[in-house]
Amino acid sequence: MSPQISRKNKRYSAGFKEQVLVKVYSRGNDQSIKSVADELNINLTTLKTWMKQNKANSFSPPRCLPLSFM
């Protein structure tokens, strides 16, 4: 019998997602999307999904949100 790997599904608030998107869209050329995901302890695929959803919704990132949580 092989051990089963369980995944925990994390839930993130809309506000947190918005702040993460602001950070990723405002990153400099020296910082990759992966490095932002690693810095915030977010799965890279999750972050890319948020970015695709953002693009599909034609939602531009908020101009000015405090990034105090980062």
Side-chain angles (χ1 to χ4, degrees):
M1 190 173 211
S2 63
Q4 292 186 356
I5 299 172
S6 65
R7 288 188 183 178
K8 284 188 174 181
N9 290 330
K10 291 185 179 180
R11 296 282 182 184
Y12 298 97
S13 70
F16 178 78
K17 290 178 187 180
E18 287 180 20
Q19 289 182 334
V20 170
L21 289 172
V22 167
K23 181 165 181 65
V24 78
Y25 289 133
S26 64
R27 74 189 189 287
N29 291 333
D30 60 331
Q31 191 174 23
S32 67
I33 295 170
K34 180 174 179 3
S35 68
V36 173
D38 290 344
E39 178 184 331
L40 300 175
N41 200 26
I42 298 171
N43 183 287
L44 178 59
T45 304
T46 299
L47 179 52
K48 287 185 174 184
T49 299
W50 295 349
M51 292 172 72
K52 286 178 188 176
Q53 289 171 344
N54 182 53
K55 186 176 180 180
N57 293 335
S58 298
F59 172 77
S60 59
R63 291 182 186 92
C64 231
L65 284 178
L67 299 176
S68 58
F69 76 97
M70 295 179 201

